[in-house]
Amino acid sequence: MKARGYFLAIISAVFYGLIPLFIVPVKSAGFSLNVFLFYRFGLSAIALVLILGLKGTSFRVNSKQLIILLSLGLAYSLSTDSLFYAYDLLSPGIASIILFVFPVFVALIMSAFGEKISTATITALVITTLGILALGSKENLSDINYFGLSVAVLSALFYATYMVIVKQSRMNVSGIKLSFYSLAFSSLYFLLKVIFHREKLIMPATIVMVNLSMIVIFSTVLTLITLIYAIQYIGPTQTSILSALEPIVAVLISVVMFGERLTVNVSVGIILVLGGVLVNILLSERKKKIVGR
């Protein structure tokens, strides 16, 4: 079972890391990202409906759960919106690396709920901050794109908020069912943006249709399902460690497919961010085991 769990975690991380491969061509074609994301989340939610239906799962939730699920959808949507805006301000690879800082932010937010900030979290925060600054400078440390970094960090904060809501709500809801509502409400968020901007819900370009199909199948539905089962087989810690492959794949895509330069500063930034997050995960888990004894 563990081997299967590791395999599923790797598949989930790799396919999620492929998102820039599907998003960048759509942005380059000048197609509305709001419309694209409305269809991405909407079609993914429908796919999960079919999966839940085959398993005989009920979609019923009470009013309290509905409010929590709405909050999750909003946090997830804002994280996605910020991330794709950061793609333009920085690059897909750099923005994806900064998003990976979210476990450190989760630990910081949880301190507001009474959890003590550990030495591991403080160490990780210092290391990742240095890494983020290195990523924002690309080549010259005196020329940092603070606005781009702020947007990317905001994406990580919204995703961390999503994780904290899941943890604190303690809802008795399956992972797939929770994912369905998150996707459904995210689709609603982008539909409201489409209406506000008076955009048309049409998909005229073949390249848009192809990339939409790929991102729905591989980087949304398959990623979510493999992630859920990976956590069941090997636990959240090991799955989190393997999720470091996500930003690495995104960086490789940016370098190989879109010509992003892998400068010394960017390379150092990647190492610092990944190292800082992994330090936080590993030392925090070690502390839990020691306390548990």
Short mmCIF file of all heavy atoms in Angstrom, two decimals, residues 102-135:
data_model
loop_
_atom_site.label_atom_id
_atom_site.label_comp_id
_atom_site.label_asym_id
_atom_site.label_seq_id
_atom_site.Cartn_x
_atom_site.Cartn_y
_atom_site.Cartn_z
N PHE A 102 3.09 27.79 1.42
CA PHE A 102 1.86 27.78 2.22
C PHE A 102 1.93 26.95 3.52
O PHE A 102 1.29 27.33 4.51
CB PHE A 102 0.66 27.33 1.36
CG PHE A 102 0.57 25.85 1.11
CD1 PHE A 102 -0.07 25.03 2.02
CD2 PHE A 102 1.10 25.29 -0.03
CE1 PHE A 102 -0.18 23.67 1.80
CE2 PHE A 102 1.00 23.92 -0.27
CZ PHE A 102 0.36 23.11 0.66
N PRO A 103 2.67 25.83 3.61
CA PRO A 103 2.70 25.11 4.89
C PRO A 103 3.27 25.95 6.04
O PRO A 103 2.84 25.81 7.19
CB PRO A 103 3.62 23.90 4.61
CG PRO A 103 3.51 23.70 3.13
CD PRO A 103 3.42 25.07 2.57
N VAL A 104 4.23 26.83 5.72
CA VAL A 104 4.78 27.71 6.75
C VAL A 104 3.72 28.71 7.21
O VAL A 104 3.57 28.99 8.40
CB VAL A 104 6.02 28.47 6.21
CG1 VAL A 104 6.60 29.38 7.29
CG2 VAL A 104 7.08 27.47 5.73
N PHE A 105 2.95 29.24 6.26
CA PHE A 105 1.88 30.18 6.60
C PHE A 105 0.78 29.49 7.41
O PHE A 105 0.15 30.12 8.27
CB PHE A 105 1.29 30.80 5.34
CG PHE A 105 2.22 31.76 4.64
CD1 PHE A 105 2.17 31.93 3.26
CD2 PHE A 105 3.15 32.48 5.35
CE1 PHE A 105 3.02 32.81 2.62
CE2 PHE A 105 4.02 33.36 4.72
CZ PHE A 105 3.95 33.53 3.35
N VAL A 106 0.53 28.22 7.11
CA VAL A 106 -0.47 27.46 7.88
C VAL A 106 -0.05 27.43 9.35
O VAL A 106 -0.87 27.66 10.25
CB VAL A 106 -0.62 26.02 7.34
CG1 VAL A 106 -1.44 25.16 8.32
CG2 VAL A 106 -1.30 26.02 5.98
N ALA A 107 1.23 27.15 9.59
CA ALA A 107 1.73 27.09 10.97
C ALA A 107 1.61 28.45 11.66
O ALA A 107 1.26 28.53 12.84
CB ALA A 107 3.19 26.64 10.96
N LEU A 108 1.88 29.53 10.91
CA LEU A 108 1.78 30.87 11.48
C LEU A 108 0.33 31.22 11.81
O LEU A 108 0.04 31.78 12.88
CB LEU A 108 2.36 31.89 10.50
CG LEU A 108 3.88 31.87 10.31
CD1 LEU A 108 4.29 32.83 9.22
CD2 LEU A 108 4.60 32.21 11.60
N ILE A 109 -0.58 30.91 10.89
CA ILE A 109 -1.99 31.20 11.13
C ILE A 109 -2.52 30.39 12.31
O ILE A 109 -3.31 30.89 13.13
CB ILE A 109 -2.83 30.91 9.87
CG1 ILE A 109 -2.43 31.86 8.74
CG2 ILE A 109 -4.33 31.07 10.17
CD1 ILE A 109 -3.07 31.52 7.40
N MET A 110 -2.08 29.14 12.41
CA MET A 110 -2.55 28.28 13.49
C MET A 110 -2.11 28.79 14.86
O MET A 110 -2.71 28.45 15.89
CB MET A 110 -2.04 26.85 13.29
CG MET A 110 -2.74 26.09 12.16
SD MET A 110 -4.53 26.03 12.36
CE MET A 110 -4.67 25.12 13.89
N SER A 111 -1.07 29.63 14.89
CA SER A 111 -0.63 30.20 16.17
C SER A 111 -1.71 31.10 16.76
O SER A 111 -1.79 31.31 17.97
CB SER A 111 0.67 30.99 15.99
OG SER A 111 0.46 32.14 15.17
N ALA A 112 -2.57 31.65 15.88
CA ALA A 112 -3.68 32.49 16.36
C ALA A 112 -4.75 31.65 17.05
O ALA A 112 -5.59 32.18 17.78
CB ALA A 112 -4.30 33.25 15.19
N PHE A 113 -4.70 30.33 16.83
CA PHE A 113 -5.67 29.42 17.47
C PHE A 113 -5.05 28.70 18.66
O PHE A 113 -5.55 27.68 19.10
CB PHE A 113 -6.18 28.41 16.45
CG PHE A 113 -6.98 29.03 15.34
CD1 PHE A 113 -6.38 29.37 14.14
CD2 PHE A 113 -8.34 29.27 15.50
CE1 PHE A 113 -7.12 29.95 13.11
CE2 PHE A 113 -9.09 29.85 14.49
CZ PHE A 113 -8.48 30.19 13.29
N GLY A 114 -3.94 29.24 19.15
CA GLY A 114 -3.35 28.70 20.36
C GLY A 114 -2.17 27.76 20.16
O GLY A 114 -1.56 27.33 21.14
N GLU A 115 -1.85 27.42 18.91
CA GLU A 115 -0.70 26.55 18.67
C GLU A 115 0.58 27.37 18.79
O GLU A 115 0.70 28.45 18.22
CB GLU A 115 -0.79 25.90 17.29
CG GLU A 115 -1.84 24.81 17.19
CD GLU A 115 -1.68 23.96 15.94
OE1 GLU A 115 -0.66 24.13 15.23
OE2 GLU A 115 -2.57 23.13 15.68
N LYS A 116 1.54 26.83 19.52
CA LYS A 116 2.80 27.53 19.73
C LYS A 116 3.62 27.52 18.45
O LYS A 116 3.71 26.50 17.75
CB LYS A 116 3.59 26.84 20.85
CG LYS A 116 4.87 27.57 21.23
CD LYS A 116 5.58 26.85 22.36
CE LYS A 116 6.88 27.56 22.72
NZ LYS A 116 7.60 26.84 23.82
N ILE A 117 4.22 28.69 18.14
CA ILE A 117 5.09 28.76 16.96
C ILE A 117 6.39 28.07 17.30
O ILE A 117 7.11 28.50 18.20
CB ILE A 117 5.35 30.22 16.54
CG1 ILE A 117 4.04 30.92 16.19
CG2 ILE A 117 6.30 30.27 15.35
CD1 ILE A 117 4.20 32.37 15.79
N SER A 118 6.69 27.02 16.59
CA SER A 118 7.88 26.21 16.89
C SER A 118 9.14 26.84 16.30
O SER A 118 9.07 27.72 15.42
CB SER A 118 7.72 24.80 16.33
OG SER A 118 7.66 24.84 14.91
N THR A 119 10.27 26.38 16.78
CA THR A 119 11.56 26.82 16.23
C THR A 119 11.66 26.45 14.76
O THR A 119 12.23 27.19 13.96
CB THR A 119 12.72 26.15 17.01
OG1 THR A 119 12.58 26.46 18.40
CG2 THR A 119 14.07 26.65 16.50
N ALA A 120 11.08 25.30 14.42
CA ALA A 120 11.09 24.85 13.03
C ALA A 120 10.37 25.85 12.12
O ALA A 120 10.85 26.17 11.03
CB ALA A 120 10.42 23.48 12.93
N THR A 121 9.24 26.36 12.59
CA THR A 121 8.46 27.32 11.80
C THR A 121 9.22 28.63 11.63
O THR A 121 9.26 29.21 10.54
CB THR A 121 7.10 27.59 12.46
OG1 THR A 121 6.36 26.36 12.52
CG2 THR A 121 6.30 28.60 11.67
N ILE A 122 9.82 29.12 12.70
CA ILE A 122 10.59 30.37 12.65
C ILE A 122 11.77 30.22 11.70
O ILE A 122 12.03 31.09 10.86
CB ILE A 122 11.07 30.78 14.05
CG1 ILE A 122 9.87 31.08 14.95
CG2 ILE A 122 11.99 31.99 13.97
CD1 ILE A 122 10.22 31.32 16.40
N THR A 123 12.48 29.09 11.83
CA THR A 123 13.62 28.82 10.94
C THR A 123 13.16 28.76 9.49
O THR A 123 13.80 29.35 8.60
CB THR A 123 14.28 27.49 11.33
OG1 THR A 123 14.68 27.52 12.70
CG2 THR A 123 15.50 27.21 10.45
N ALA A 124 12.07 28.04 9.26
CA ALA A 124 11.54 27.90 7.90
C ALA A 124 11.12 29.25 7.34
O ALA A 124 11.34 29.53 6.15
CB ALA A 124 10.35 26.94 7.90
N LEU A 125 10.52 30.11 8.18
CA LEU A 125 10.07 31.42 7.73
C LEU A 125 11.24 32.29 7.28
O LEU A 125 11.17 32.96 6.24
CB LEU A 125 9.30 32.11 8.86
CG LEU A 125 8.70 33.48 8.52
CD1 LEU A 125 7.68 33.36 7.40
CD2 LEU A 125 8.06 34.10 9.76
N VAL A 126 12.32 32.25 8.05
CA VAL A 126 13.53 33.03 7.70
C VAL A 126 14.12 32.53 6.38
O VAL A 126 14.43 33.32 5.48
CB VAL A 126 14.59 32.93 8.83
CG1 VAL A 126 15.90 33.57 8.37
CG2 VAL A 126 14.08 33.61 10.09
N ILE A 127 14.25 31.20 6.28
CA ILE A 127 14.84 30.61 5.07
C ILE A 127 13.99 30.90 3.84
O ILE A 127 14.50 31.31 2.79
CB ILE A 127 15.03 29.09 5.25
CG1 ILE A 127 16.03 28.80 6.35
CG2 ILE A 127 15.50 28.45 3.93
CD1 ILE A 127 16.15 27.32 6.71
N THR A 128 12.69 30.69 3.96
CA THR A 128 11.81 30.89 2.81
C THR A 128 11.71 32.37 2.42
O THR A 128 11.58 32.69 1.24
CB THR A 128 10.39 30.34 3.07
OG1 THR A 128 9.87 30.90 4.28
CG2 THR A 128 10.41 28.83 3.18
N THR A 129 11.77 33.27 3.41
CA THR A 129 11.75 34.71 3.10
C THR A 129 12.95 35.10 2.26
O THR A 129 12.84 35.84 1.27
CB THR A 129 11.71 35.55 4.39
OG1 THR A 129 10.53 35.24 5.13
CG2 THR A 129 11.72 37.04 4.07
N LEU A 130 14.12 34.60 2.65
CA LEU A 130 15.33 34.85 1.86
C LEU A 130 15.18 34.27 0.45
O LEU A 130 15.60 34.89 -0.54
CB LEU A 130 16.55 34.23 2.56
CG LEU A 130 16.96 34.87 3.90
CD1 LEU A 130 18.08 34.05 4.55
CD2 LEU A 130 17.43 36.31 3.68
N GLY A 131 14.58 33.08 0.38
CA GLY A 131 14.36 32.44 -0.92
C GLY A 131 13.43 33.25 -1.80
O GLY A 131 13.66 33.41 -3.00
N ILE A 132 12.35 33.78 -1.20
CA ILE A 132 11.38 34.58 -1.96
C ILE A 132 12.03 35.85 -2.50
O ILE A 132 11.81 36.24 -3.65
CB ILE A 132 10.17 34.93 -1.06
CG1 ILE A 132 9.33 33.68 -0.81
CG2 ILE A 132 9.31 36.02 -1.70
CD1 ILE A 132 8.25 33.86 0.23
N LEU A 133 12.86 36.50 -1.68
CA LEU A 133 13.56 37.71 -2.13
C LEU A 133 14.51 37.39 -3.27
O LEU A 133 14.63 38.17 -4.23
CB LEU A 133 14.31 38.34 -0.96
CG LEU A 133 13.44 38.96 0.15
CD1 LEU A 133 14.31 39.43 1.31
CD2 LEU A 133 12.62 40.12 -0.41
N ALA A 134 15.18 36.25 -3.18
CA ALA A 134 16.10 35.84 -4.26
C ALA A 134 15.32 35.59 -5.55
O ALA A 134 15.75 35.97 -6.64
CB ALA A 134 16.87 34.59 -3.84
N LEU A 135 14.15 34.96 -5.43
CA LEU A 135 13.32 34.69 -6.60
C LEU A 135 12.81 35.99 -7.22
O LEU A 135 12.73 36.11 -8.45
CB LEU A 135 12.13 33.81 -6.21
CG LEU A 135 12.44 32.35 -5.86
CD1 LEU A 135 11.22 31.69 -5.24
CD2 LEU A 135 12.86 31.59 -7.11
#
